[in-house]
Amino acid sequence: MQQGAGGKGALAIEACGMVTSVGLTAAATCAAIRAGVQGLSDTRFVDSERQPVRAGQVRLERPWRGADKIRRMVTLAAQECLSSVVTTNRVPFVACLSDDLDDDAGDGLFDALAAASGVRLDEASSRILRAGRSSIAFALQGARELLFDRGFDHVLVVAGDSLVTRAAIARLEDEDRLLAADNMDGFLPGEAAAAIVVTRPTRESDLVCLGIGAATEVATIASEEPRRAEGLVAAIRAALAEASLAPEDIDVRVTDLSGEHYYFREAALALSRVVRSGRKEIPLWHPAECIGEVGVAVGPILAGVALTSTRKRYAPGANFLLHLADDGGARAALVLQATRSAHGQ
């Protein structure tokens, strides 16, 4: 079993599933993201200038909306993810949902997942996290406990979110955060769901999470504090330390960046403070340019992009740094590593 420097067990990412505006499966989504296909279109909502708001909309078999649509997207992603998992034991899940969603968004989620998954889910050990984009780090920490302390063989991590709602778009426009002709410092909203299955690593594992880091940023996007990227730097350093890797070992960054200058500047500043050797620029992947800002759902999407690029052998190297930032200040980083056999080394 591989372990990080902190003595905590590494997590193998065994499978992934996705539902996004560019594909209803992980394979379709990752192929579109790799090709730079943008799944953005006009919505039924208009801005203050009476112009249609563009967004990454998911088209399903029925016109689901609200919590029903999020549950449906999550169920489809989990179904795809679990279709390749062979187990006779019960599988707990950790579901990541946004604090902005209605309280009933998690209602019926267990029954929906149990009916569609094809495996026996463990309801008593499952949990729902209400957090932001960084919740993938806390979900994986919970999965680590379930695998190494509670003895489960697999854990399903799911996340779903939608910013393509009247309330979300109105709030974003009030905050001047929507990308528009008169506001280039913004993003296009999106909606998505994603799922990954994690387990204890074996010789057959293709991608392993070696380090998890989390921290808090005081100088949030809404604050007037001097911006030094302290929280993101701390999260990245913690993840690297647990993985026993140096910053110079990272081959590619996969991030939640979606267009706002604040977060791009923060990411650039954090990288300059962490990597000091003057090495060549580390490639930066940010799927939001294709699928829009998808909130909480982005965490498993980033992990799924890393897994797919490893298995398809188009990743620029074996070591991935994933980093995410919440508007409220939470910062998270994950260090993933492809095995030698998966990366063709």
Side-chain angles (χ1 to χ4, degrees), residues 13-25:
I13 301 176
E14 184 172 313
C16 63
M18 298 181 202
V19 175
T20 71
S21 61
V22 294
L24 299 184
T25 65

Side-chain angles (χ1 to χ4, degrees), residues 18-72:
M18 298 181 202
V19 175
T20 71
S21 61
V22 294
L24 299 184
T25 65
T29 294
C30 291
I33 290 172
R34 186 185 181 191
V37 175
Q38 294 190 335
L40 306 168
S41 59
D42 290 346
T43 68
R44 59 193 176 91
F45 306 111
V46 296
D47 59 23
S48 58
E49 301 297 323
R50 309 303 297 171
Q51 297 299 311
V53 174
R54 290 178 61 77
Q57 303 174 85
V58 172
R59 310 288 187 182
L60 297 176
E61 72 278 14
R62 287 172 51 187
W64 310 83
R65 291 185 182 176
D68 290 336
K69 185 170 188 178
I70 290 173
R71 276 194 297 270
R72 180 59 177 162

Side-chain angles (χ1 to χ4, degrees), residues 278-296:
R279 61 157 283 178
K280 64 181 181 181
E281 184 176 351
I282 301 173
L284 175 66
W285 294 354
H286 41 96
E289 67 179 338
C290 297
I291 62 177
E293 167 59 75
V294 297
V296 176

Side-chain angles (χ1 to χ4, degrees), residues 61-337:
E61 72 278 14
R62 287 172 51 187
W64 310 83
R65 291 185 182 176
D68 290 336
K69 185 170 188 178
I70 290 173
R71 276 194 297 270
R72 180 59 177 162
M73 291 192 298
V74 168
T75 299
L76 290 172
Q79 188 174 25
E80 177 194 5
C81 187
L82 290 168
S83 65
S84 61
V85 175
V86 179
T87 182
T88 57
N89 296 326
R90 291 189 177 274
V91 177
F93 70 81
V94 183
C96 304
L97 299 175
S98 170
D99 272 333
D100 294 332
L101 294 177
D102 295 337
D103 290 340
D104 64 349
D107 295 346
L109 185 58
F110 176 84
D111 291 338
L113 289 172
S117 66
V119 303
R120 294 187 303 156
L121 296 181
D122 191 293
E123 184 174 17
S125 299
S126 297
R127 61 195 72 171
I128 293 177
L129 298 179
R130 290 282 193 160
R133 293 185 295 269
S134 67
S135 59
I136 182 65
F138 307 108
L140 290 179
Q141 287 173 339
R144 181 186 270 167
E145 175 194 348
L146 290 167
L147 291 170
F148 292 97
D149 297 339
R150 302 279 301 279
F152 287 98
D153 294 329
H154 298 84
V155 178
L156 172 68
V157 176
V158 299
D161 204 352
S162 176
L163 277 69
V164 192
T165 66
R166 189 177 304 279
I169 289 174
R171 173 179 59 81
L172 292 171
E173 186 173 27
D174 287 344
E175 296 172 354
D176 292 324
R177 300 186 66 185
L178 282 182
L179 182 65
D182 60 348
N183 180 29
M184 301 308 293
D185 185 11
F187 59 78
L188 295 177
E191 57 189 359
I196 57 174
V197 166
V198 295
T199 186
R200 291 179 290 275
T202 68
R203 291 184 178 180
E204 288 72 40
S205 299
D206 292 327
L207 186 69
V208 200
C209 177
L210 295 178
I212 303 172
T216 301
E217 176 59 61
V218 176
T220 65
I221 191 170
S223 80
E224 299 297 327
E225 295 289 331
R227 294 171 181 176
R228 303 187 180 92
E230 298 282 0
L232 189 55
V233 167
I236 292 172
R237 285 176 174 165
L240 286 168
E242 190 174 272
S244 297
L245 289 178
E248 294 73 23
D249 295 326
I250 296 301
D251 297 302
V252 59
R253 290 182 293 156
V254 193
T255 77
D256 63 342
L257 299 173
S258 59
E260 291 181 295
H261 299 165
Y262 166 87
Y263 288 111
F264 272 97
R265 286 194 294 265
E266 179 187 55
L269 178 57
L271 185 68
S272 70
R273 293 186 57 192
V274 171
V275 182
R276 296 180 177 272
S277 67
R279 61 157 283 178
K280 64 181 181 181
E281 184 176 351
I282 301 173
L284 175 66
W285 294 354
H286 41 96
E289 67 179 338
C290 297
I291 62 177
E293 167 59 75
V294 297
V296 176
V298 72
I301 289 175
L302 301 186
V305 166
L307 178 63
T308 302
S309 70
T310 293
R311 288 179 170 168
K312 295 291 184 180
R313 301 196 176 186
Y314 62 85
N319 296 322
F320 299 80
L321 172 64
L322 280 56
H323 59 76
L324 309 97
D326 291 343
D327 294 342
R331 299 292 185 264
L334 308 175
V335 173
L336 311 182
Q337 186 176 77

